[in-house]
Amino acid sequence: MDAYVCVKFRFLILCSLFTIMSGSVMSNSKIHCNKKDMDTLLLFKQGLTDPSGVFSSWISNSDCCQWTGVKCDNISGKVTNLDLPCHTNHPKVVDFGDKEDKSHCLTGAFSLSLLELESLSYLNLSNNNFKFMQYSSMGSQKCDDLSRGNLSGLCGNSTNLQYLDLSQNYDLFVSNLDWISHLTSLQYLNLGGVHLHQGIDWLQSVTMLPSLLELHFKSCKLENLYPFLQHANFTSLQVLNLAENHFISELPTWLFNLSCEISRIDLSQNQIHSQLPKTLPYLRSLKSLVLHDNFLKGPIPSWLGQLEQLQELDLSHNSFSGPIPASLGNSPSLIKLILESNDLNGNLPVELGQLFKLETLRVSNNPLTGIVSERNLRSLRNLKNFSLSSPALIFDFYPKWVPPFQLLNIELGYLRDKLPAWLFTQSSLKYLTIRHSTASFEPLDMFWKFANRLESISLENNTINGDMSKVFLSSKVVWLGANNLRGGMPHISPEVVVLHLRNNSLSGSISPLLCHNMRHKSNLVYLDMSYNNLSGGLTDCWNNWKSLVLVNLRFNNLTGKIPHSMGSLSNLRFLYLKSNKFFGKVPFSLRKCKNLRILDLCRNNLSGVIPSWLGQNVEGLELRSNQFSGNIPTQLCQLHSLMMINLASNKLSGPIPNCLHNIKAMLSSSFVTRKCHFTLNYPGLSVYIICSIPMLIKGNELSYVNVMNSIDLSSNNFSGSVPLEIYMLTGLQSLNLSHNQLIGTIPDEIGNLEQLESIDLSSNNFSGQIPQSMSALHFLAVLNLSFNNFMGKIPAGTQLGSTNLSYIHNPDLCGPPLTKICPQDEKSNNIKSMGGDDSDDDKCQVHSRFYMGLGIGFAAGFWGLLCTVLISRKCRHAYFKLLHRICDHVIQKINSITEM
């Protein structure tokens, strides 16, 4: 036994030594990258630009398993993961001129040579800046450049790839998806934001992926939803996201014949015109059905209530009609029910009140009728978000009813009499919206105290009728537009981010708002006090409000000079002071506002010269109806982002600068009609704000939410000719040079302005002919060339001949739509009138016009011979009639000569 123990002990020692030695050897040996995989990665790198140095470690004399974003198999050394998404910061304020900063991201060609990595299972290159796809193999080429739509074989052999994410490469264009079908192990595919060619057969490609669990084709510019396809072979699909595309068809049958394993369908924000089918037999385990922002119509099918696993149903922003199915109250798993913004009618079913798991119920903006009471909400103990509004609904809650829920967000509309008493029991409420209500908000002290506990309060088009001078507001978002509020300025907390008091009856000075003691740094970003009765000066307290991005004080009675302290608003992007009584010069201190995008000072009494110190970010310059004088500074030509120039109704003089073609934003139609909006991003709060732009377009002054390329220099004293360079602005949509002293002609180059919708050159000294090239301006809706010295015939064209008011007081103009007939047309009409109108034979009429120019005797003799020998008896009758007319004409000429 002792010998046995000794042998065993020795054996264990040997095993231990071997383990230590083998571990040491293994620790000193390094798994190196597969040589073929390294060459493939280096080939992929060649087609890219790397601004931030992501590929700095990608060098050929190093181990590729140690490269940034690369992961290898521990045994084989083959590449299994490539993870290089681009991370971008989302600023607090994002407006219409801002693009997500991707200057540090990878850009260039995305090469499908990566698919030759045989062991690659994870590939994430999302949120970069790829421009197109191409395939270039190191050996025999299997694929051509996919951006040209060519495919000659199998693109790569990466059959192990399970995860592929190229989303948010917004400039990437893909014309072919055949390469997708060979990735037979793919479980996750995300091409969201990638531009897929409209003719691409995307569905056939993805249905050949037997293991696919998630498919994300959001915002891919897809148009074909295959409405006639009966079945799609999605055997494992769980997530389908086709949101924000351009589908214009009925919902296809294949969409509702998916495997019962599917758990989510998302087709939001598409353009689908159809009805939901009457049955949905294969979706018993469906958990989320999201179809919002489409054009779906017809009744909501009652069988949706039979989907026992359904947790989310979003059919909002469509055209569904009929009643809300009471059967939805039989869905025990339902958590979100969103049906707002449709054409649903009838009562709000009381059966919905038994959905005890329901957290979101949104049915606003439907023509619902009937009474809403506690019966409709009786068992919704988990309800967090509630939205209900309809002009015909009657709210009838028991005054002492205490709900079983604590809401986070509530939106109500068209309330009458009083606010529901249970509203004030919601101690967890953060967001309150009440619109179009005549209900009393009394006692106001109690209401404002309750509102100050909220993060956001939005009251619009109500009848509050309250004095705001002693009110203190502390919510982050205070949106109180059109409530007939009166009195002086309220006081606000430094925590307020948005203050919107537009279109009320507020009066007095704005000093109580701006000049009270600020112990803490202000967070105010948005200030809109427009359309009130404010008076006095702008004060000089703007140094306390450096976070402001938008200031809107239009249409008040404010006066005085624009204070220099406004130059301290370094974040300012939108400044609207239109229709007040400001005077003096525009302060030079505003040059410090380098982020300024829109400067609207129209309809004041400002004087001096046009500011030449404006920053490069200015996109709209609105100085109409002031007292500005001097020339247009050539510095404006260096503002490459400028899209709107309105200097009308001032005292400007001199020539129009010949450098306007340097304004890049007006050189291309790609800049046309960008929407004016911005988003405020804060933790737990995102506010989307649309800002209007007042412009005089097509003879009417309207507020636009889209920025248009426009130049308005009307009603000044400009002289000289219009520089040819202005006709190089091919993105220009509106041009108004009326009521000046301009001379010269309209050149043929005006036909280059293909985007032009409105042009006014009236009340100048233009001369010459109207060029025929203007008839090619297909978008032209408004034309005014009146009160000039144009001559000749008006070119034919539907855009040019709509009304004679466009051409009046041009004595030498002729032709339709004017009544004055051009000489060449008059001569042609005379010939027609003398050419045998009574003849029934077209050949006779043609011959008669021809022979009129050959002399009476020759014409008559030849015509008679020709008609007698060659033509019919009708032609002989025409001959005698023609001869009679010729004689009468000759006699009239002789008589007129004799009288002279």
Side-chain angles (χ1 to χ4, degrees), residues 117-160:
L117 298 171
E118 297 178 359
S119 298
L120 187 67
S121 62
Y122 183 93
L123 177 57
N124 184 2
L125 295 170
S126 61
N127 201 36
N128 277 286
N129 199 21
F130 296 117
K131 301 300 182 182
F132 60 96
M133 300 188 90
Q134 74 175 21
Y135 184 93
S136 52
S137 177
M138 295 174 297
S140 59
Q141 288 203 353
K142 301 175 182 178
C143 298
D144 295 324
D145 187 349
L146 290 179
S147 66
R148 295 193 298 266
N150 298 319
L151 188 70
S152 57
L154 177 61
C155 296
N157 51 8
S158 184
T159 55
N160 290 318

Side-chain angles (χ1 to χ4, degrees), residues 675-876:
K675 185 168 287 188
C676 176
H677 61 83
F678 64 96
T679 303
L680 304 176
N681 294 314
Y682 287 86
L685 178 65
S686 182
V687 183
Y688 177 77
I689 296 175
I690 297 177
C691 50
S692 63
I693 301 172
M695 290 187 290
L696 186 65
I697 302 291
K698 302 177 184 179
N700 297 311
E701 184 168 341
L702 301 172
S703 291
Y704 289 79
V705 295
N706 289 329
V707 184
M708 297 178 65
N709 283 329
S710 63
I711 296 177
D712 191 346
L713 306 179
S714 61
S715 300
N716 281 284
N717 297 311
F718 293 116
S719 58
S721 59
V722 178
L724 282 175
E725 287 79 4
I726 205 169
Y727 302 108
M728 298 171 61
L729 303 176
T730 53
L732 197 63
Q733 294 171 278
S734 178
L735 177 63
N736 190 345
L737 304 177
S738 64
H739 295 88
N740 280 287
Q741 301 174 25
L742 299 170
I743 61 174
T745 62
I746 302 177
D748 289 333
E749 285 80 0
I750 195 172
N752 296 332
L753 307 183
E754 297 179 352
Q755 302 295 327
L756 207 59
E757 300 177 19
S758 173
I759 181 169
D760 190 348
L761 304 179
S762 63
S763 298
N764 279 285
N765 295 308
F766 290 113
S767 58
Q769 293 188 336
I770 301 173
Q772 183 65 41
S773 61
M774 289 191 70
S775 61
L777 302 177
H778 300 298
F779 293 108
L780 194 61
V782 174
L783 171 68
N784 193 349
L785 303 180
S786 61
F787 293 91
N788 278 288
N789 299 308
F790 292 112
M791 59 181 294
K793 185 176 181 179
I794 298 173
T798 55
Q799 294 85 7
L800 305 182
S802 57
T803 172
N804 62 345
L805 296 178
S806 299
Y807 307 100
I808 59 172
H809 290 278
N810 285 278
D812 296 324
L813 269 184
C814 60
L818 298 177
T819 57
K820 182 179 179 180
I821 301 175
C822 295
Q824 60 269 37
D825 294 335
E826 185 176 13
K827 182 177 179 180
S828 176
N829 291 338
N830 288 338
I831 294 175
K832 289 180 181 180
S833 65
M834 299 174 63
D837 295 337
D838 296 331
S839 173
D840 295 330
D841 198 313
D842 291 338
K843 292 182 179 180
C844 293
Q845 294 182 25
V846 172
H847 287 304
S848 66
R849 298 189 192 103
F850 173 72
Y851 293 118
M852 275 293 295
L854 299 181
I856 297 174
F858 180 78
F862 186 78
W863 178 250
L865 177 63
L866 186 63
C867 284
T868 303
V869 176
L870 300 176
I871 313 293
S872 65
R873 184 172 60 182
K874 292 181 179 179
C875 197
R876 291 197 295 272

Side-chain angles (χ1 to χ4, degrees), residues 101-298:
D101 185 11
K102 290 191 174 184
S103 60
H104 60 289
C105 300
L106 298 176
T107 185
F110 171 73
S111 174
L112 286 174
S113 62
L114 284 176
L115 300 184
E116 290 192 347
L117 298 171
E118 297 178 359
S119 298
L120 187 67
S121 62
Y122 183 93
L123 177 57
N124 184 2
L125 295 170
S126 61
N127 201 36
N128 277 286
N129 199 21
F130 296 117
K131 301 300 182 182
F132 60 96
M133 300 188 90
Q134 74 175 21
Y135 184 93
S136 52
S137 177
M138 295 174 297
S140 59
Q141 288 203 353
K142 301 175 182 178
C143 298
D144 295 324
D145 187 349
L146 290 179
S147 66
R148 295 193 298 266
N150 298 319
L151 188 70
S152 57
L154 177 61
C155 296
N157 51 8
S158 184
T159 55
N160 290 318
L161 191 64
Q162 299 177 18
Y163 185 102
L164 176 58
D165 189 350
L166 297 177
S167 63
Q168 301 179 64
N169 282 277
Y170 298 114
D171 293 331
L172 181 59
F173 176 77
V174 177
S175 60
N176 198 301
L177 278 179
D178 287 354
W179 53 276
I180 288 288
S181 59
H182 305 295
L183 306 177
T184 53
S185 299
L186 205 61
Q187 298 181 18
Y188 178 94
L189 175 59
N190 191 346
L191 298 182
V194 175
H195 184 183
L196 301 181
H197 187 269
Q198 62 180 4
I200 209 168
D201 193 355
W202 62 271
L203 185 59
Q204 181 179 3
S205 299
V206 297
T207 53
M208 298 178 68
L209 304 176
S211 302
L212 195 63
L213 299 176
E214 296 190 27
L215 176 62
H216 299 268
F217 276 2
K218 177 182 178 181
S219 189
C220 291
K221 298 182 174 63
L222 294 173
E223 296 182 2
N224 190 358
L225 198 57
Y226 305 93
F228 304 109
L229 186 65
Q230 296 297 314
H231 180 76
N233 188 27
F234 287 120
T235 57
S236 304
L237 197 64
Q238 296 180 359
V239 175
L240 176 60
N241 187 345
L242 300 177
E244 298 179 17
N245 283 286
H246 304 293
F247 299 127
I248 305 178
S249 68
E250 294 185 359
L251 288 180
T253 304
W254 67 262
L255 187 61
F256 299 98
N257 284 338
L258 302 179
S259 167
C260 61
E261 297 178 20
I262 191 169
S263 63
R264 180 178 177 85
I265 295 179
D266 189 342
L267 290 173
S268 60
Q269 296 187 12
N270 286 303
Q271 299 178 13
I272 304 174
H273 304 262
S274 68
Q275 296 185 19
L276 288 172
K278 295 181 179 179
T279 59
L280 194 58
Y282 295 100
L283 295 175
R284 290 285 182 180
S285 60
L286 185 70
K287 293 184 178 180
S288 179
L289 180 61
V290 180
L291 298 168
H292 65 75
D293 289 277
N294 284 283
F295 297 96
L296 298 169
K297 58 185 179 180

